[in-house]
Amino acid sequence: MKRILTAVVASAALTLTACGGGSSDSGSGSNDSATTQGASVKVGDTISAKELGGKTSAAASKAVTANVKTTSGDAPVEGVVNFGDTPSFKMEVDEQGNKIEMIYVDKVLYLGGDSLASSLNGKKFAKIDPNGTDPMSQMMAPMMQVLDLAAQPAQMLEAVDGLEAKVVAVDGDTVTYETAITAEQAKQIAEKLLGGSDLPNNAANAEAMTVTQVVGKDDLLQSVKTVSGQQTTEFAYSDWGSAPKISAPPASEVGSLSM
């Protein structure tokens, strides 16, 4: 059970963090320059990765919501994310055939799905509150801290100074950036985001990485691809500003997971 829940929280954290990723991989475009946010951008230009992260983070906060699909190993994620002042999301994770629904609202995580049904005592969702006194909430609390951190993506870039994102492709209003992050820099970022949380791929296992960010009109991300060692994580964003509102499930459907 803990392995499944750990993978769920890790996947959710990755999905949120992508909106502030500090690097991007190459792509192809029909033009070699574009005008975005009133400034001309062309292949070969560079920008501070921190500045780029700030722009995409601000754009995400302004648009508020987006649909997102992500694949990372054996746990693909699909759902809706709210990047506003109070981050929230509603997603479905398929962790090696175990489909789990996640709703994160007001810093509380609700989990449901067929793989958890036998432990929910007739309820549809389990409530995991970092301040809760039930055994599952207490077990999961250290892992949940990363959800709020990851929902503020600019923090990812504050951990390392001097990173640059290079323009490698331009296609109309779409610009693709690339930044290489060394293993030491990746470790610093992991320590900033994860700290001592009980999540896979923590600071001790950090590797050099390359992240591809495809940024569209109004600095809104279209996709992000991160390659670190043998691990590849891909994100696709759509319907910025028009995704549905996210609410906590009715109290009558909420219980606690039995251990």
Side-chain angles (χ1 to χ4, degrees), residues 66-139:
N67 289 330
V68 60
K69 293 182 180 180
T70 175
T71 55
S72 177
D74 297 322
V77 182
E78 182 173 353
V80 178
V81 180
N82 181 317
F83 295 99
D85 293 336
T86 305
S88 59
F89 61 76
K90 182 176 182 180
M91 302 178 188
E92 183 177 275
V93 180
D94 189 341
E95 205 279 323
Q96 296 184 345
N98 294 312
K99 291 186 177 182
I100 300 176
E101 184 177 356
M102 304 184 296
I103 302 175
Y104 182 67
V105 177
D106 295 330
K107 299 185 178 182
V108 175
L109 183 65
Y110 301 88
L111 296 177
D114 292 342
S115 59
L116 303 177
S118 61
S119 302
L120 284 173
N121 301 314
K123 300 293 185 177
K124 186 175 180 180
F125 292 94
K127 180 179 181 179
I128 299 179
D129 186 336
N131 298 315
T133 58
D134 61 284
M136 187 60 68
S137 289
Q138 291 182 333
M139 181 185 77

Coordinates of all heavy atoms in Angstrom, one line a residue, residues 66-139:
A66 N -5.3 24.2 -16.1 CA -5.0 23.6 -17.3 C -5.2 22.1 -17.2 O -5.2 21.5 -16.1 CB -3.5 23.8 -17.6
N67 N -5.5 21.4 -18.3 CA -5.5 20.0 -18.4 C -4.1 19.5 -18.5 O -3.3 20.2 -19.2 CB -6.4 19.5 -19.5 CG -7.8 19.7 -19.3 OD1 -8.3 19.7 -18.2 ND2 -8.6 19.9 -20.4
V68 N -3.7 18.4 -17.9 CA -2.4 17.9 -18.0 C -2.3 16.4 -18.2 O -3.2 15.7 -17.6 CB -1.6 18.3 -16.8 CG1 -2.2 17.8 -15.5 CG2 -0.1 17.9 -16.9
K69 N -1.4 16.0 -19.0 CA -1.2 14.5 -19.2 C 0.3 14.3 -19.0 O 1.1 15.1 -19.5 CB -1.6 14.0 -20.5 CG -3.0 14.0 -20.8 CD -3.3 13.5 -22.2 CE -4.8 13.5 -22.5 NZ -5.1 12.9 -23.9
T70 N 0.7 13.3 -18.2 CA 2.1 13.1 -18.0 C 2.4 11.6 -17.9 O 1.6 10.8 -17.5 CB 2.6 13.8 -16.7 OG1 4.0 13.4 -16.4 CG2 1.8 13.3 -15.5
T71 N 3.6 11.2 -18.4 CA 4.0 9.9 -18.3 C 5.4 9.9 -17.6 O 6.3 10.7 -18.0 CB 4.1 9.2 -19.7 OG1 5.0 10.0 -20.5 CG2 2.8 9.1 -20.3
S72 N 5.6 9.0 -16.7 CA 6.8 8.9 -16.0 C 6.9 7.4 -15.5 O 6.3 7.0 -14.5 CB 6.9 9.8 -14.8 OG 8.1 9.6 -14.0
G73 N 7.8 6.6 -16.1 CA 7.9 5.2 -15.8 C 6.6 4.5 -16.0 O 6.0 4.6 -17.0
D74 N 6.1 3.8 -14.9 CA 4.9 3.0 -15.0 C 3.7 3.7 -14.4 O 2.7 3.0 -14.1 CB 5.1 1.7 -14.3 CG 6.2 0.8 -14.9 OD1 6.3 0.9 -16.2 OD2 7.0 0.2 -14.2
A75 N 3.8 5.0 -14.2 CA 2.7 5.7 -13.6 C 2.2 6.9 -14.3 O 2.5 8.1 -14.0 CB 3.1 6.1 -12.1
P76 N 1.5 6.7 -15.5 CA 0.9 7.9 -16.2 C -0.1 8.6 -15.4 O -0.9 8.0 -14.6 CB 0.3 7.2 -17.5 CG 0.1 5.8 -17.1 CD 1.1 5.5 -16.1
V77 N -0.2 9.9 -15.6 CA -1.1 10.8 -14.9 C -1.9 11.6 -15.8 O -1.4 12.1 -16.8 CB -0.4 11.7 -13.9 CG1 -1.4 12.5 -13.1 CG2 0.5 10.9 -12.9
E78 N -3.2 11.8 -15.6 CA -4.0 12.7 -16.4 C -5.0 13.4 -15.5 O -5.6 12.8 -14.6 CB -4.7 11.8 -17.5 CG -5.6 12.7 -18.4 CD -6.1 11.8 -19.6 OE1 -5.8 10.7 -19.7 OE2 -7.0 12.4 -20.4
G79 N -5.2 14.7 -15.8 CA -6.2 15.4 -15.0 C -6.2 16.9 -15.2 O -5.8 17.4 -16.2
V80 N -6.6 17.6 -14.1 CA -6.7 19.1 -14.2 C -5.9 19.6 -13.0 O -5.9 19.1 -11.9 CB -8.2 19.5 -14.0 CG1 -8.3 21.0 -14.0 CG2 -9.0 18.9 -15.1
V81 N -5.2 20.7 -13.3 CA -4.4 21.4 -12.2 C -4.8 22.8 -12.1 O -5.0 23.5 -13.1 CB -2.9 21.3 -12.5 CG1 -2.1 22.0 -11.4 CG2 -2.4 19.8 -12.7
N82 N -4.9 23.3 -10.9 CA -5.2 24.7 -10.6 C -3.9 25.3 -10.0 O -3.4 24.9 -8.9 CB -6.3 24.8 -9.6 CG -6.7 26.3 -9.3 OD1 -5.8 27.1 -9.1 ND2 -8.0 26.6 -9.2
F83 N -3.3 26.3 -10.7 CA -2.0 26.9 -10.3 C -2.2 28.2 -9.6 O -1.3 29.0 -9.5 CB -1.1 27.1 -11.5 CG -0.7 25.8 -12.1 CD1 -1.3 25.4 -13.3 CD2 0.4 25.1 -11.6 CE1 -0.9 24.2 -13.9 CE2 0.8 23.9 -12.2 CZ 0.2 23.5 -13.4
G84 N -3.4 28.5 -9.1 CA -3.7 29.7 -8.4 C -3.1 29.9 -7.1 O -2.2 29.1 -6.7
D85 N -3.6 30.9 -6.3 CA -3.0 31.1 -5.0 C -3.1 29.9 -4.0 O -2.2 29.7 -3.2 CB -3.7 32.4 -4.3 CG -3.4 33.6 -5.1 OD1 -2.4 33.7 -5.8 OD2 -4.3 34.6 -5.0
T86 N -4.2 29.2 -4.2 CA -4.3 27.9 -3.4 C -4.3 26.8 -4.4 O -5.3 26.4 -4.9 CB -5.6 27.9 -2.6 OG1 -5.7 29.1 -1.8 CG2 -5.7 26.7 -1.7
P87 N -3.1 26.2 -4.6 CA -3.0 25.1 -5.6 C -3.9 23.9 -5.3 O -4.1 23.5 -4.1 CB -1.5 24.7 -5.5 CG -0.8 25.9 -4.9 CD -1.8 26.5 -4.0
S88 N -4.4 23.3 -6.4 CA -5.3 22.1 -6.2 C -5.2 21.3 -7.5 O -4.7 21.8 -8.5 CB -6.7 22.5 -5.9 OG -7.3 23.3 -7.0
F89 N -5.6 20.1 -7.4 CA -5.6 19.3 -8.7 C -6.6 18.1 -8.5 O -7.0 17.7 -7.4 CB -4.2 18.7 -9.0 CG -3.6 17.8 -8.0 CD1 -4.0 16.5 -7.8 CD2 -2.5 18.3 -7.2 CE1 -3.4 15.7 -6.8 CE2 -1.9 17.5 -6.2 CZ -2.4 16.2 -6.0
K90 N -7.0 17.6 -9.7 CA -7.8 16.4 -9.7 C -7.2 15.5 -10.8 O -7.2 15.9 -12.0 CB -9.2 16.7 -10.0 CG -10.2 15.5 -10.0 CD -11.6 15.8 -10.3 CE -12.5 14.6 -10.2 NZ -13.9 15.0 -10.4
M91 N -6.7 14.3 -10.5 CA -6.0 13.5 -11.4 C -6.3 12.0 -11.2 O -6.8 11.6 -10.2 CB -4.5 13.7 -11.2 CG -3.9 15.1 -11.4 SD -2.2 15.1 -11.1 CE -1.9 16.9 -11.1
E92 N -6.0 11.3 -12.3 CA -6.1 9.8 -12.2 C -4.7 9.3 -12.5 O -4.1 9.6 -13.5 CB -7.1 9.2 -13.1 CG -7.2 7.7 -13.0 CD -8.3 7.2 -13.9 OE1 -9.5 7.2 -13.5 OE2 -8.0 6.7 -15.0
V93 N -4.2 8.4 -11.6 CA -2.9 7.8 -11.8 C -3.1 6.3 -12.1 O -3.9 5.6 -11.4 CB -2.0 8.0 -10.5 CG1 -0.6 7.3 -10.8 CG2 -1.8 9.4 -10.2
D94 N -2.4 5.8 -13.1 CA -2.4 4.4 -13.4 C -1.0 3.8 -13.0 O 0.0 3.9 -13.8 CB -2.6 4.1 -14.8 CG -2.9 2.7 -15.1 OD1 -2.5 1.8 -14.3 OD2 -3.4 2.3 -16.2
E95 N -0.9 3.3 -11.8 CA 0.4 2.8 -11.2 C 0.4 1.3 -11.4 O -0.1 0.6 -10.6 CB 0.5 3.2 -9.8 CG 2.0 3.3 -9.3 CD 2.5 1.9 -8.9 OE1 1.8 1.1 -8.4 OE2 3.7 1.7 -9.2
Q96 N 1.0 0.9 -12.5 CA 1.1 -0.6 -12.8 C -0.2 -1.3 -12.8 O -0.3 -2.3 -12.1 CB 2.2 -1.2 -11.9 CG 3.6 -0.7 -12.1 CD 4.6 -1.4 -11.2 OE1 4.2 -2.1 -10.3 NE2 5.8 -1.2 -11.6
G97 N -1.2 -0.7 -13.4 CA -2.6 -1.3 -13.4 C -3.5 -0.9 -12.3 O -4.7 -1.2 -12.3
N98 N -2.9 -0.3 -11.3 CA -3.7 0.2 -10.1 C -4.1 1.6 -10.4 O -3.3 2.5 -10.3 CB -2.9 0.1 -8.8 CG -2.6 -1.3 -8.4 OD1 -3.5 -2.2 -8.4 ND2 -1.3 -1.6 -8.1
K99 N -5.4 1.8 -10.8 CA -5.9 3.2 -11.1 C -6.4 3.8 -9.8 O -7.2 3.3 -9.1 CB -7.0 3.1 -12.1 CG -6.5 2.7 -13.5 CD -7.6 2.8 -14.5 CE -7.1 2.4 -15.9 NZ -8.1 2.6 -17.0
I100 N -5.8 5.0 -9.5 CA -6.1 5.7 -8.3 C -6.5 7.2 -8.7 O -5.8 7.8 -9.5 CB -4.9 5.8 -7.3 CG1 -4.5 4.3 -6.9 CG2 -5.2 6.6 -6.1 CD1 -3.3 4.3 -6.1
E101 N -7.6 7.6 -8.1 CA -8.1 9.0 -8.3 C -7.6 9.9 -7.2 O -7.7 9.5 -6.0 CB -9.6 9.1 -8.4 CG -10.1 10.4 -8.7 CD -11.6 10.5 -8.9 OE1 -12.3 9.4 -8.8 OE2 -12.2 11.6 -9.1
M102 N -7.0 11.0 -7.5 CA -6.5 11.9 -6.5 C -7.2 13.3 -6.6 O -7.3 13.8 -7.7 CB -5.0 12.2 -6.7 CG -4.1 10.9 -6.7 SD -2.4 11.4 -6.8 CE -2.4 12.2 -8.4
I103 N -7.6 13.8 -5.5 CA -8.1 15.2 -5.5 C -7.3 15.9 -4.3 O -7.3 15.4 -3.2 CB -9.6 15.3 -5.2 CG1 -10.4 14.5 -6.3 CG2 -10.1 16.7 -5.1 CD1 -11.9 14.4 -6.0
Y104 N -6.7 17.0 -4.7 CA -5.9 17.8 -3.7 C -6.5 19.2 -3.6 O -6.5 19.9 -4.5 CB -4.5 17.8 -4.1 CG -3.5 18.6 -3.1 CD1 -3.3 18.0 -1.9 CD2 -2.9 19.8 -3.5 CE1 -2.4 18.7 -1.0 CE2 -2.1 20.4 -2.6 CZ -1.8 19.9 -1.4 OH -1.0 20.5 -0.5
V105 N -7.1 19.5 -2.4 CA -7.8 20.7 -2.2 C -7.5 21.2 -0.8 O -7.6 20.4 0.2 CB -9.3 20.6 -2.4 CG1 -10.0 22.0 -2.1 CG2 -9.7 20.2 -3.8
D106 N -7.1 22.5 -0.6 CA -6.9 23.1 0.7 C -5.9 22.3 1.5 O -6.1 22.0 2.7 CB -8.2 23.2 1.5 CG -9.2 24.2 0.8 OD1 -8.7 25.2 0.2 OD2 -10.4 24.0 0.9
K107 N -4.8 21.8 0.8 CA -3.7 21.1 1.4 C -4.1 19.7 2.0 O -3.4 19.1 2.8 CB -3.1 21.9 2.5 CG -2.5 23.2 2.0 CD -1.7 24.0 3.1 CE -1.1 25.2 2.5 NZ -0.3 26.0 3.5
V108 N -5.3 19.2 1.5 CA -5.7 17.9 1.9 C -5.8 17.0 0.7 O -6.3 17.5 -0.4 CB -7.1 17.9 2.6 CG1 -7.6 16.5 2.9 CG2 -7.0 18.7 3.9
L109 N -5.4 15.8 0.8 CA -5.4 14.8 -0.3 C -6.5 13.8 -0.2 O -6.6 13.2 0.9 CB -4.0 14.1 -0.5 CG -3.8 13.2 -1.6 CD1 -3.8 13.9 -2.9 CD2 -2.4 12.5 -1.5
Y110 N -7.3 13.6 -1.2 CA -8.3 12.6 -1.2 C -7.9 11.5 -2.2 O -7.6 11.8 -3.4 CB -9.7 13.2 -1.5 CG -10.1 14.3 -0.6 CD1 -9.7 15.6 -0.8 CD2 -10.8 14.0 0.6 CE1 -10.1 16.6 0.1 CE2 -11.2 15.0 1.5 CZ -10.9 16.3 1.2 OH -11.2 17.3 2.1
L111 N -8.0 10.2 -1.8 CA -7.6 9.2 -2.7 C -8.8 8.2 -2.9 O -9.4 7.8 -1.9 CB -6.4 8.4 -2.2 CG -5.1 9.2 -2.1 CD1 -4.0 8.3 -1.4 CD2 -4.6 9.7 -3.4
G112 N -9.0 7.7 -4.1 CA -10.0 6.7 -4.3 C -9.6 5.8 -5.5 O -8.5 6.0 -6.1
G113 N -10.3 4.8 -5.7 CA -10.0 3.8 -6.8 C -10.2 2.4 -6.4 O -10.3 2.1 -5.2
D114 N -10.4 1.5 -7.4 CA -10.7 0.1 -7.2 C -9.6 -0.5 -6.3 O -9.9 -1.4 -5.5 CB -10.8 -0.6 -8.5 CG -12.0 -0.2 -9.3 OD1 -12.9 0.4 -8.7 OD2 -12.0 -0.5 -10.5
S115 N -8.3 -0.1 -6.5 CA -7.2 -0.8 -5.8 C -7.3 -0.4 -4.3 O -6.7 -1.1 -3.5 CB -5.9 -0.4 -6.3 OG -5.7 1.0 -6.3
L116 N -8.0 0.6 -3.9 CA -8.1 1.0 -2.5 C -9.5 0.6 -1.9 O -9.7 0.8 -0.7 CB -7.9 2.5 -2.4 CG -6.6 3.1 -2.9 CD1 -6.6 4.6 -2.8 CD2 -5.4 2.5 -2.2
A117 N -10.4 0.2 -2.7 CA -11.8 0.0 -2.3 C -11.9 -0.9 -1.0 O -12.7 -0.6 -0.1 CB -12.6 -0.6 -3.4
S118 N -11.1 -2.0 -1.0 CA -11.2 -2.9 0.2 C -10.8 -2.3 1.5 O -11.1 -2.8 2.5 CB -10.4 -4.2 -0.1 OG -9.1 -3.9 -0.3
S119 N -10.0 -1.2 1.4 CA -9.5 -0.5 2.6 C -10.3 0.7 3.0 O -9.9 1.4 3.9 CB -8.0 -0.2 2.4 OG -7.3 -1.3 2.1
L120 N -11.4 1.0 2.2 CA -12.1 2.3 2.4 C -13.4 2.1 3.2 O -14.1 3.1 3.5 CB -12.4 2.9 1.1 CG -11.3 3.6 0.4 CD1 -11.6 4.0 -1.0 CD2 -10.8 4.8 1.2
N121 N -13.7 0.9 3.7 CA -14.9 0.6 4.5 C -16.2 1.2 4.0 O -16.9 1.9 4.7 CB -14.6 1.2 5.9 CG -13.4 0.6 6.6 OD1 -13.2 -0.6 6.6 ND2 -12.5 1.4 7.2
G122 N -16.4 1.0 2.7 CA -17.6 1.5 2.0 C -17.6 2.9 1.5 O -18.6 3.3 0.9
K123 N -16.6 3.7 1.8 CA -16.5 5.0 1.3 C -15.8 5.1 0.0 O -15.1 4.1 -0.4 CB -15.7 5.9 2.3 CG -16.4 6.0 3.7 CD -17.7 6.7 3.7 CE -18.3 6.9 5.1 NZ -19.5 7.7 5.1
K124 N -15.9 6.2 -0.8 CA -15.3 6.3 -2.1 C -13.9 6.9 -2.0 O -13.0 6.5 -2.8 CB -16.2 7.2 -3.0 CG -15.7 7.3 -4.4 CD -16.7 8.1 -5.3 CE -16.2 8.1 -6.7 NZ -17.1 8.9 -7.6
F125 N -13.7 7.8 -1.1 CA -12.4 8.4 -1.0 C -11.8 8.3 0.5 O -12.6 8.3 1.4 CB -12.5 9.9 -1.3 CG -12.8 10.2 -2.8 CD1 -14.1 10.4 -3.2 CD2 -11.8 10.2 -3.7 CE1 -14.4 10.6 -4.5 CE2 -12.1 10.5 -5.0 CZ -13.4 10.7 -5.4
A126 N -10.5 8.2 0.5 CA -9.8 8.3 1.8 C -9.3 9.8 2.0 O -8.8 10.4 1.0 CB -8.6 7.4 1.9
K127 N -9.4 10.3 3.1 CA -8.9 11.7 3.4 C -7.5 11.5 4.1 O -7.4 10.9 5.1 CB -9.8 12.4 4.3 CG -9.4 13.8 4.7 CD -10.4 14.5 5.5 CE -10.0 15.9 5.9 NZ -11.0 16.6 6.7
I128 N -6.5 12.2 3.5 CA -5.2 12.2 4.0 C -4.8 13.7 4.3 O -4.6 14.5 3.4 CB -4.1 11.6 3.1 CG1 -4.5 10.1 2.8 CG2 -2.7 11.7 3.6 CD1 -3.6 9.4 1.9
D129 N -4.8 14.0 5.6 CA -4.6 15.3 6.1 C -3.2 15.4 6.8 O -3.0 14.6 7.7 CB -5.7 15.7 7.0 CG -5.7 17.2 7.5 OD1 -4.6 17.8 7.4 OD2 -6.7 17.7 7.9
P130 N -2.3 16.3 6.3 CA -1.0 16.3 7.0 C -1.1 16.6 8.5 O -0.1 16.3 9.2 CB -0.3 17.4 6.2 CG -1.3 18.2 5.6 CD -2.4 17.3 5.3
N131 N -2.2 17.2 8.9 CA -2.4 17.4 10.3 C -3.3 16.4 11.0 O -3.6 16.5 12.2 CB -3.0 18.8 10.5 CG -2.1 19.9 10.0 OD1 -0.9 19.9 10.3 ND2 -2.7 20.9 9.3
G132 N -3.6 15.3 10.3 CA -4.5 14.3 10.8 C -3.9 13.4 11.8 O -2.6 13.3 11.8
T133 N -4.7 12.8 12.6 CA -4.2 11.9 13.7 C -4.3 10.4 13.3 O -3.8 9.6 14.0 CB -4.9 12.1 15.0 OG1 -6.3 11.9 14.8 CG2 -4.7 13.6 15.5
D134 N -5.0 10.1 12.2 CA -5.1 8.7 11.8 C -3.8 8.2 11.3 O -2.9 9.0 10.8 CB -6.2 8.6 10.7 CG -5.9 9.3 9.5 OD1 -6.0 10.6 9.5 OD2 -5.5 8.7 8.5
P135 N -3.5 6.9 11.4 CA -2.2 6.3 11.0 C -1.8 6.6 9.6 O -0.6 6.9 9.3 CB -2.4 4.8 11.2 CG -3.5 4.7 12.2 CD -4.4 5.9 12.0
M136 N -2.7 6.6 8.6 CA -2.4 6.8 7.2 C -1.9 8.3 7.0 O -1.0 8.6 6.3 CB -3.5 6.5 6.3 CG -3.1 6.6 4.8 SD -1.8 5.4 4.3 CE -2.6 3.8 4.5
S137 N -2.7 9.2 7.6 CA -2.3 10.6 7.5 C -0.9 10.9 8.1 O -0.1 11.6 7.5 CB -3.3 11.5 8.1 OG -4.5 11.6 7.4
Q138 N -0.7 10.3 9.2 CA 0.6 10.5 9.9 C 1.8 9.9 9.0 O 2.9 10.4 9.0 CB 0.6 9.9 11.3 CG -0.3 10.6 12.2 CD -0.3 10.1 13.6 OE1 0.0 8.9 13.8 NE2 -0.6 10.9 14.6
M139 N 1.5 8.7 8.4 CA 2.5 8.1 7.6 C 2.8 8.9 6.3 O 4.0 9.0 5.9 CB 2.1 6.7 7.2 CG 3.1 5.9 6.3 SD 2.5 4.3 5.7 CE 1.4 4.9 4.4

